[in-house]
Amino acid sequence: MQRYKIFHRTYYNYSSSVILGPHRLLLRPREDYELRIESFILKMTPDAALLWHRDIEGNSVAIATFTLPTTQLLIESEVIIQQYNEAPLDFIVSDYALRYPFVYRGEEEILLSAYKALPDPHSVATVNQWIKNFWHPGEKIQTYTLLQRINEYIYRTLAYRIREEPGVQSVEQTLAYGSGSCRDFAFLFMQAVRSLGLAARFVSGYLYAPLMAAQIGSTHAWAEVYLPGAGWKGFDPSIGKMAGSDHIAVAVARLPEAVPPISGSFAGTAISSLAVGVWVTPLI
């Protein structure tokens, strides 16, 4: 078991007084048999009323409402977690899904249909052509091996870069640029998996990177694929490996744009600026 402290600070500054609308916060990690929360503290300036709920994916969502005008908004979360996912390859896939291709069965096929939705035809054609770089239809292959090929191929052939611009690059943009952020790589991986007929979803969270532990970091993104018998398993194309004990998932969704850590609005004529810092620290 590995313990981590995650400190996440978001600071909005406004050039003049504004009225803040409701803000949606996705900052509390997803608790399950692999991850447990020891403590969670959420602070905001100005003060806000909080209402918590779980969305359709089981993500913990806080809705913050404000009453006073302000020229700044500070949101800080501090969480200590216990991470037990120290053997990400320790899982069993159902016999019928061990080799690709396979078809989801019964109720799983119904529930997973939204996670198999294909992009537009042009993107499908682009992805299918790109997949031929590392796999050809008819090749006998284990399902995990194929997924890991996609994961490693993105890591080996595309350049990772920190991208401050909001949103996610299209498949065509990422392949044309030859580079992207973690969220761009996760989206490309998802689209490739879906083009192969499998279910995939986007994950937003944190990654402990030992070489950057003392520096200001950011949130991280990767993807999960549903494997019968094993459930949702994480793949991180930014590092070419499966998600493991250094990954802390906060929210999952069918589409990347559904899970920003903080989203909201304000009323006024002010110009806003944003600064974000994330620190992930291992604890004894």
Side-chain angles (χ1 to χ4, degrees):
M1 183 268 288
Q2 176 64 60
R3 296 173 70 233
Y4 291 105
K5 180 174 76 173
I6 304 110
F7 184 73
H8 185 161
R9 175 190 291 143
T10 303
Y11 179 70
Y12 294 91
N13 190 50
Y14 306 98
S15 59
S16 60
S17 184
V18 300
I19 300 295
L20 296 171
H23 279 58
R24 181 175 182 263
L25 314 179
L26 285 166
L27 296 170
R28 184 181 175 92
R30 290 173 62 88
E31 293 181 89
D32 57 22
Y33 61 93
E34 293 176 338
L35 188 150
R36 301 174 188 172
I37 294 177
E38 284 189 22
S39 64
F40 178 78
I41 301 172
L42 181 59
K43 297 179 181 179
M44 280 178 284
T45 303
D47 290 337
L50 287 178
L51 283 176
W52 287 89
H53 70 272
R54 288 192 179 273
D55 66 12
I56 196 168
E57 296 278 10
N59 302 315
S60 292
V61 182
I63 303 298
T65 54
F66 306 86
T67 56
L68 299 176
T70 187
T71 57
Q72 65 177 13
L73 171 59
L74 176 64
I75 302 173
E76 293 180 336
S77 68
E78 181 179 298
V79 59
I80 296 177
I81 63 107
Q82 299 174 4
Q83 174 62 279
Y84 291 84
N85 186 21
E86 296 179 318
L89 289 173
D90 189 14
F91 61 87
I92 298 175
V93 177
S94 297
D95 289 344
Y96 79 89
L98 278 173
R99 294 190 172 277
Y100 181 83
F102 70 89
V103 177
Y104 294 112
R105 295 180 177 177
E107 190 74 5
E108 286 185 345
E109 172 64 25
I110 297 172
L111 295 174
L112 294 171
S113 59
Y115 302 96
K116 296 171 57 185
L118 294 174
D120 61 88
H122 183 264
S123 293
V124 171
T126 299
V127 169
N128 286 340
Q129 187 63 36
W130 175 74
I131 288 174
K132 291 179 182 178
N133 289 302
F134 49 85
W135 180 77
H136 290 275
E139 177 188 352
K140 296 181 179 179
I141 191 170
Q142 287 191 344
T143 303
Y144 165 76
T145 301
L146 177 56
L147 294 172
Q148 188 56 21
R149 273 194 197 177
I150 302 172
N151 207 29
E152 292 178 351
Y153 191 77
I154 294 173
Y155 172 69
R156 287 191 293 104
T157 62
L158 301 176
Y160 176 81
R161 69 182 183 95
I162 298 175
R163 205 166 55 77
E164 301 295 340
E165 305 89 352
V168 176
Q169 292 177 173
S170 68
V171 166
E172 292 83 356
Q173 287 175 317
T174 298
L175 295 179
Y177 299 157
S179 65
S181 66
C182 57
R183 60 187 185 276
D184 302 321
F185 289 173
F187 184 64
L188 173 59
F189 180 91
M190 287 171 53
Q191 299 297 62
V193 169
R194 289 177 177 177
S195 293
L196 293 169
L198 304 183
R201 66 185 184 183
F202 187 85
V203 187
S204 175
Y206 306 105
L207 174 67
Y208 170 60
L211 297 179
M212 300 180 63
Q215 304 177 30
I216 298 176
S218 61
T219 55
H220 190 60
W222 59 98
E224 289 181 342
V225 181
Y226 189 84
L227 297 175
W232 291 103
K233 307 306 294 184
F235 292 81
D236 187 349
S238 294
I239 61 175
K241 299 179 180 179
M242 290 196 70
S245 61
D246 293 339
H247 293 76
I248 300 104
V250 172
V252 301
R254 186 176 67 89
L255 299 172
E257 56 267 30
V259 286
I262 298 172
S263 58
S265 63
F266 68 87
T269 59
I271 298 173
S272 65
S273 60
L274 169 65
V276 178
V278 173
W279 293 264
V280 180
T281 308
L283 302 175
I284 298 176

